[in-house]
Amino acid sequence: MASSAQDLGPVLDKDGVRLTVDDAIATVTLTNPAKRNAQSPALWRALTEAGRLLPGSVRVVVLRGEGKSFSAGLDRQMFTPEGIEGEPSFVDLARRDDATLDATIAEYQEAFTWWRRSDIVSIAAVQGHAIGAGFQLALACDLRVVADDVQFAMRETSLGLVPDLTGTHPLVGLVGYARALEICATGRFVTAEESVNTGLANLAVPAADLDAAVQDLAAALLAAPRDAVIETKSLLLGARNRTYDEQRTAERASQSRRLRDLAGLGE
């Protein structure tokens, strides 16, 4: 009998992030339910490390949060003058020169960028609150399955900030500019029903069925040959930046590679 992820133990377990791997499926879990999985620079570094530690066998990555909330956003201690011990406070960040501040934010963003790598498909399993950084972390994934109690909200603007953890690009791509602007500028909650209706979520299910629904989706993704999924994902990710004719050309090139590989004539 094959060992389960629990038998193997976590690949990573630190700073509110746990990574487990079970053959082709990896699970990244936010593990601080007492603070509704609030996010901090240490958590972002752990998320970045999780991406780097993924074995080559992994095809699907599931992102989930323990407890009633997926992630309620930034750790509120970051907003205090003293900040989080060992981390720069917002006041400290504001005092940095432009280049240093830019580099710091870029480092934070790395936790949100690897989820769309072409060699994996990532699924966010989202329940309860997914606010601010939590919303953006869910948006970082390729797919989102939500519980019927989900409440997305982008609260940065109401705090005098902007969403800067890579969430604006996927949000506009999913729901369009006008709705994205309205969601961000008002900070209102987006429910499960609206999430599905607008394309923000792929599927909404009762909270008790969330894990099972994600497992079913992961299994369906694994049913197709890996190389075909990789090529298809790359095609779709690039489509928004290509013209119709450029996309036709990209399709032909991808299909040529697939046909040669299937015929054993690949390079």
Side-chain angles (χ1 to χ4, degrees):
M1 180 180 296
S3 296
S4 68
Q6 287 74 21
D7 293 331
L8 295 172
V11 177
L12 176 76
D13 196 353
K14 62 189 289 189
D15 298 322
V17 174
R18 182 171 63 244
L19 167 65
T20 56
V21 177
D22 188 357
D23 194 18
I25 300 177
T27 302
V28 177
T29 304
L30 306 181
T31 60
N32 191 2
K35 295 191 72 171
R36 295 194 298 167
N37 297 313
Q39 297 183 33
S40 66
L43 180 140
W44 296 332
R45 287 192 293 270
L47 285 175
T48 300
E49 186 176 351
R52 293 172 180 159
L53 290 174
L54 285 182
S57 61
V58 169
R59 294 182 53 189
V60 174
V61 181
V62 175
L63 170 64
R64 57 184 298 276
E66 290 183 345
K68 295 182 178 181
S69 292
F70 174 75
S71 174
L74 293 179
D75 188 324
R76 288 289 174 166
Q77 197 170 338
M78 294 179 67
F79 294 92
T80 64
E82 62 273 12
I84 298 173
E85 185 177 357
E87 305 287 357
S89 67
F90 280 172
V91 173
D92 295 330
L93 290 175
R95 289 173 175 157
R96 294 181 175 183
D97 61 74
D98 289 346
T100 304
L101 179 55
D102 183 80
T104 301
I105 297 174
E107 179 185 344
Y108 296 163
Q109 289 176 331
E110 289 181 12
F112 297 75
T113 57
W114 62 266
W115 304 90
R116 297 204 175 204
R117 280 170 26 186
S118 62
D119 61 321
I120 59 171
V121 177
S122 54
I123 308 169
V126 190
Q127 81 284 0
H129 291 99
I131 298 175
F135 192 2
Q136 294 186 77
L137 187 55
L139 286 166
C141 292
D142 295 307
L143 310 173
R144 279 151 297 284
V145 178
V146 301
D148 53 12
D149 67 348
V150 76
Q151 295 188 76
F152 289 112
M154 201 73 82
R155 291 292 174 80
E156 285 82 354
T157 307
S158 62
L159 296 171
L161 303 170
V162 300
D164 67 337
L165 296 172
T166 78
T168 56
H169 190 273
L171 182 61
V172 171
L174 290 165
V175 305
Y177 159 75
R179 190 178 295 269
L181 175 60
E182 179 250 329
I183 288 171
C184 292
T186 65
R188 69 172 178 85
F189 286 118
V190 179
T191 64
E193 181 179 7
E194 182 181 353
S195 298
V196 173
N197 289 342
T198 59
L200 180 59
N202 297 79
L203 178 69
V205 297
D209 298 335
L210 182 60
D211 288 342
V214 171
Q215 290 172 7
D216 288 346
L217 178 55
L221 291 167
L222 292 175
R226 179 172 194 162
D227 289 344
V229 175
I230 290 173
E231 287 278 3
T232 300
K233 180 175 177 177
S234 295
L235 267 177
L236 295 174
L237 280 175
R240 72 184 69 187
N241 297 319
R242 301 188 189 107
T243 65
Y244 177 76
D245 286 338
E246 288 170 342
Q247 185 69 1
R248 288 174 57 214
T249 300
E251 289 174 356
R252 295 196 299 272
S254 291
Q255 194 70 301
S256 296
R257 285 191 293 271
R258 296 303 312 127
L259 289 170
R260 291 194 178 100
D261 285 344
L262 289 173
L265 300 174
E267 297 179 0

